[in-house]
Amino acid sequence: MTRRELLDYFVGGGFAATVAAGVLGTLSYLRPGHGAKPTGGGPVEVGDANEIPVGSAKAVKFREKSALVIHTKRGFVGLSAICTHAECVVYWDEEEQLIKCPCHAGVFDTNGNRVSGPPPRPLPAYRVEVVAGKIMLGGA
Ligand code: FES
């Protein structure tokens, strides 16, 4: 192989690779669902309403973070399960009907308001709707 043939081989290969990358990139862009990612805006189904009796709660993942859905006498309540003190994951104490933090004994009521302990703010609340028996957790 001469130097000229070798040079033509590499230049031609580079051109073919560039064309292939462009075609594949375009096809990838046009593929249905391209760029479809949770945008954080819409409600997310987190379970069946009938699996959480009044007075109980379910720990769920909401947008990759821990959350609680509590079935109170007033209806369903959705709260972040991340403590506002040092970000420990809180839990539902069914016997006392309170949300507790295992790290520094923070306590919250069913609205997410601090009852006692060091948490400086309430737990962020999420909108909850029951649609066709499914619990839909919405935006904050
Ligand atoms: S992290 Fe919850 S009380 Fe400290």
Side-chain angles (χ1 to χ4, degrees), residues 2 4 14 30 42 51 54-56 61 69 72 74 82 104 112 116 119 127:
T2 66
R4 179 73 192 172
L30 295 174
E51 70 181 293
V54 174
S56 64
K61 284 287 181 193
V69 175
T72 72
R74 305 177 316 277
I82 308 298
H104 311 102
S116 64
R127 197 157 48 99

Side-chain angles (χ1 to χ4, degrees), residues 8-124:
D8 286 347
Y9 176 77
F10 281 116
V11 170
F15 178 74
T18 302
V19 169
V23 169
L24 290 175
T26 301
L27 289 175
S28 171
Y29 179 78
L30 295 174
R31 188 186 67 215
H34 171 78
K37 292 179 185 164
T39 58
V44 174
E45 181 189 326
V46 293
D48 291 333
N50 62 11
E51 70 181 293
I52 310 174
V54 174
S56 64
K58 180 181 180 184
V60 299
K61 284 287 181 193
F62 178 62
R63 296 182 184 138
E64 300 179 20
K65 294 189 175 174
S66 297
L68 283 175
V69 175
I70 306 167
H71 195 173
T72 72
K73 291 175 187 163
R74 305 177 316 277
F76 287 97
V77 174
L79 297 168
S80 167
I82 308 298
C83 183
T84 56
H85 179 231
E87 301 189 352
C88 290
V89 176
V90 299
Y91 66 93
W92 174 244
D93 183 328
E94 191 163 325
E95 192 173 306
E96 295 191 36
Q97 297 286 294
L98 291 168
I99 300 162
K100 295 185 175 178
C101 180
C103 292
H104 311 102
V107 179
F108 302 88
D109 66 17
T110 55
N111 292 319
N113 295 317
R114 187 187 74 88
V115 173
S116 64
R121 294 177 306 283
L123 296 169

